[in-house]
Amino acid sequence: MTYAPPPPPPEAGYPAPLPPGYPAPPPGYPVPSGGTVSMPHLVQLTIGHQDRYSRGMGCLGAIFFLGRFIALIPVLIWLGILGFVIGIVAWIMQIVVVLSGHYPKGAHRFVTGYLRLRVKTYAWMYGLVDKYPGYSTKP
């Protein structure tokens, strides 16, 4: 099922006025040329493919299937604690967005740092990277 915005009413002119809070037309919004607006994704994920992978780490994952998972227990505990805090922060930030229209930069950095650490952790657990993720939320 695809979303097609309704055509603007004839008295409103073309194109229809943007919804409140949009600095630019959202994807799928009709434009005067008759097409729709195409916007790049705001979230991107890149995990580079290494030239060489550690055979020792491969053995840890292949011979002892849960080896990588067991090695990640401290990081997963840290992610659990951070995840609880992030849930509260994200909920409060939604209220802040409703009241102010802005997501504070510090909270945004905190939430994206948690997501970054989570992706690094799972990338290591699934053998995509050899570098242990650690506990840092920084890039």
Side-chain angles (χ1 to χ4, degrees), residues 7-17:
E11 66 274 6
Y14 194 79

Side-chain angles (χ1 to χ4, degrees), residues 1-116:
M1 174 184 251
T2 59
Y3 171 76
E11 66 274 6
Y14 194 79
L18 291 173
Y22 280 95
Y29 199 79
V31 293
S33 65
T36 58
V37 174
S38 174
M39 293 174 60
H41 291 285
L42 299 177
V43 176
Q44 297 178 0
L45 173 65
T46 304
I47 300 174
H49 186 271
Q50 297 175 189
D51 291 333
R52 295 192 47 87
Y53 285 86
S54 167
R55 290 182 182 191
M57 294 307 298
C59 287
L60 182 63
I63 294 173
F64 186 58
F65 182 70
L66 297 175
R68 284 184 180 248
F69 181 77
I70 290 171
L72 280 176
I73 287 175
V75 177
L76 293 173
I77 291 170
W78 177 238
L79 279 173
I81 294 167
L82 276 179
F84 177 77
V85 173
I86 290 292
I88 295 169
V89 169
W91 178 71
I92 292 171
M93 289 306 108
Q94 294 306 305
I95 296 170
V96 170
V97 167
V98 167
L99 297 176
S100 71
H102 293 86
Y103 204 107
K105 287 187 180 197
H108 185 272
R109 203 171 28 252
F110 183 54
V111 173
T112 55
Y114 165 76
L115 294 173
R116 184 180 304 113

